[in-house]
Amino acid sequence: MTKADPARKPLRQDELVERLKTGRVFQGVAITSEVTLDELDLSESRFEDCAFDLPNVRGADFSGAQFKDCRFSPVRLASCKFAGARFEGAGFFDPESKKGAVFAFCDLREVEAEKCNFAVGAFERCDLHDFKARECSFRGVRFNGSSFAKAISRRVVVTRARFEACNFTFTDFAGVSLAHCEFQTCKFVDTAFFDVDLTDAILRGCSIEKAEWERANLTRADLRGSTISGLNLAVLSGYAGLAIGESQQTELLERLGVSVSPD
């Protein structure tokens, strides 16, 4: 059984049910395994300074909910709905166990996250269309089978996400489509971009070092203003229309064996 955070009052099941009827506001409470959140409608709820100390949550609906300064133990959130939810100052990484939270088969469309720590966690087969994050850590996170795409029709698929000043060190994007996604001033160190589609993606002002680019598609991607140490065009599946700055061209050409000298 998970122990409650001593700084917060454990929430009882009857209190949970009552608050869902009258305001849906939770402040300074510990939600432990003594409480069942499975399959509950928690949409539009507001959680502030709460601790989620339980190992699993299945099928809960957190659509439109707000989480401010909340802490999550290494929980597994399976088939939960977070569409339109907002996270501010949320921590999903446990420094003692060095583990993070797992989102599995979750609806995370149009989620907004600011100054959150998702480190060493995972997004497994989640819907992440129009996910927005600012100053968040995704260090060591795995995006296994997740998608940032939305099918408008049989022929039209829109991919959208925006990340600003986020840390993607050791993050695994292998096989994920990031086409049209936007990354501004983000950090990518030893990031796995194996088989990643970055067509029309924007990576401006980013620090990209020692990333793994095998079979990645950078067609019409915009890397201007980014440091791109280790990028070898020869291992890419495509790079037609790739936008780079003048200061970046020498390094890219030299990795292809082309010597660049002044005229």
Side-chain angles (χ1 to χ4, degrees), residues 4 12 59 61 100 119 159 170 180 182 198-199 207 225 255:
R12 301 194 311 267
D61 186 355
T159 306
F170 299 116
H180 299 277
E182 183 175 351
L198 285 156
T199 300
S207 176
R255 284 191 170 272

Tab-separated table of all heavy atoms in Angstrom, residues 4 12 59 61 100 119 159 170 180 182 198-199 207 225 255:
chain	number	residue	atom	x	y	z
A	4	ALA	N	0.683	7.825	2.334
A	4	ALA	CA	0.289	9.180	1.989
A	4	ALA	C	1.419	10.155	2.293
A	4	ALA	O	2.231	9.931	3.167
A	4	ALA	CB	-0.962	9.582	2.773
A	12	ARG	N	-10.423	10.752	1.642
A	12	ARG	CA	-11.254	9.553	1.759
A	12	ARG	C	-12.168	9.445	0.540
A	12	ARG	O	-12.459	10.430	-0.129
A	12	ARG	CB	-12.099	9.592	3.029
A	12	ARG	CG	-11.312	9.693	4.332
A	12	ARG	CD	-12.240	9.372	5.532
A	12	ARG	NE	-13.484	10.123	5.446
A	12	ARG	CZ	-13.689	11.310	6.023
A	12	ARG	NH1	-12.698	11.900	6.695
A	12	ARG	NH2	-14.862	11.913	5.901
A	59	GLY	N	-8.895	4.368	-16.809
A	59	GLY	CA	-10.150	4.830	-17.374
A	59	GLY	C	-10.733	6.085	-16.758
A	59	GLY	O	-11.907	6.388	-16.990
A	61	ASP	N	-11.547	10.064	-16.292
A	61	ASP	CA	-11.719	11.171	-17.223
A	61	ASP	C	-11.297	12.473	-16.542
A	61	ASP	O	-12.005	13.001	-15.687
A	61	ASP	CB	-13.181	11.253	-17.669
A	61	ASP	CG	-13.400	12.299	-18.761
A	61	ASP	OD1	-12.438	13.027	-19.091
A	61	ASP	OD2	-14.528	12.384	-19.285
A	100	GLY	N	9.619	7.514	-13.419
A	100	GLY	CA	8.627	8.494	-13.827
A	100	GLY	C	7.282	7.845	-14.065
A	100	GLY	O	7.126	6.624	-13.958
A	119	ALA	N	10.304	13.533	-16.611
A	119	ALA	CA	11.533	12.775	-16.843
A	119	ALA	C	11.386	11.289	-16.556
A	119	ALA	O	10.689	10.863	-15.636
A	119	ALA	CB	12.671	13.351	-15.998
A	159	THR	N	-0.734	17.047	-38.270
A	159	THR	CA	0.139	16.795	-37.126
A	159	THR	C	0.501	18.126	-36.501
A	159	THR	O	0.940	19.045	-37.194
A	159	THR	CB	1.421	16.056	-37.563
A	159	THR	OG1	1.058	14.881	-38.283
A	159	THR	CG2	2.253	15.661	-36.353
A	170	PHE	N	18.312	12.439	-24.050
A	170	PHE	CA	18.102	10.987	-23.970
A	170	PHE	C	16.654	10.567	-24.277
A	170	PHE	O	16.261	9.428	-24.017
A	170	PHE	CB	18.501	10.430	-22.595
A	170	PHE	CG	19.932	10.632	-22.238
A	170	PHE	CD1	20.284	11.434	-21.165
A	170	PHE	CD2	20.943	10.053	-22.983
A	170	PHE	CE1	21.610	11.641	-20.826
A	170	PHE	CE2	22.279	10.242	-22.663
A	170	PHE	CZ	22.612	11.046	-21.578
A	180	HIS	N	5.524	18.824	-39.043
A	180	HIS	CA	4.850	20.094	-38.749
A	180	HIS	C	4.908	20.497	-37.270
A	180	HIS	O	4.360	21.536	-36.901
A	180	HIS	CB	3.383	20.062	-39.193
A	180	HIS	CG	3.192	19.840	-40.659
A	180	HIS	ND1	3.271	20.854	-41.590
A	180	HIS	CD2	2.946	18.703	-41.359
A	180	HIS	CE1	3.071	20.357	-42.796
A	180	HIS	NE2	2.878	19.060	-42.695
A	182	GLU	N	6.586	21.951	-33.787
A	182	GLU	CA	7.446	23.113	-33.579
A	182	GLU	C	8.209	22.991	-32.270
A	182	GLU	O	7.633	22.734	-31.213
A	182	GLU	CB	6.606	24.386	-33.576
A	182	GLU	CG	7.415	25.657	-33.446
A	182	GLU	CD	6.562	26.909	-33.569
A	182	GLU	OE1	5.371	26.782	-33.927
A	182	GLU	OE2	7.089	28.013	-33.304
A	198	LEU	N	10.241	14.272	-39.673
A	198	LEU	CA	10.303	15.674	-39.268
A	198	LEU	C	10.006	16.596	-40.454
A	198	LEU	O	10.453	17.739	-40.495
A	198	LEU	CB	11.683	15.985	-38.691
A	198	LEU	CG	11.936	15.441	-37.270
A	198	LEU	CD1	13.422	15.261	-37.013
A	198	LEU	CD2	11.333	16.362	-36.232
A	199	THR	N	9.233	16.098	-41.412
A	199	THR	CA	8.865	16.899	-42.572
A	199	THR	C	8.153	18.182	-42.134
A	199	THR	O	7.201	18.143	-41.347
A	199	THR	CB	7.939	16.097	-43.504
A	199	THR	OG1	8.597	14.922	-43.944
A	199	THR	CG2	7.532	16.930	-44.707
A	207	SER	N	19.506	23.331	-29.235
A	207	SER	CA	20.817	22.716	-29.050
A	207	SER	C	20.683	21.231	-29.349
A	207	SER	O	20.040	20.498	-28.597
A	207	SER	CB	21.299	22.926	-27.610
A	207	SER	OG	22.523	22.260	-27.389
A	225	GLY	N	19.468	28.521	-36.831
A	225	GLY	CA	19.765	28.997	-35.487
A	225	GLY	C	20.041	27.906	-34.477
A	225	GLY	O	20.287	28.185	-33.309
A	255	ARG	N	30.814	16.837	-43.332
A	255	ARG	CA	30.433	15.477	-42.937
A	255	ARG	C	30.099	14.619	-44.151
A	255	ARG	O	30.081	13.405	-44.075
A	255	ARG	CB	29.252	15.526	-41.977
A	255	ARG	CG	29.667	15.948	-40.578
A	255	ARG	CD	28.549	15.730	-39.575
A	255	ARG	NE	29.059	15.922	-38.228
A	255	ARG	CZ	29.618	14.970	-37.494
A	255	ARG	NH1	29.741	13.758	-37.999
A	255	ARG	NH2	30.067	15.231	-36.290
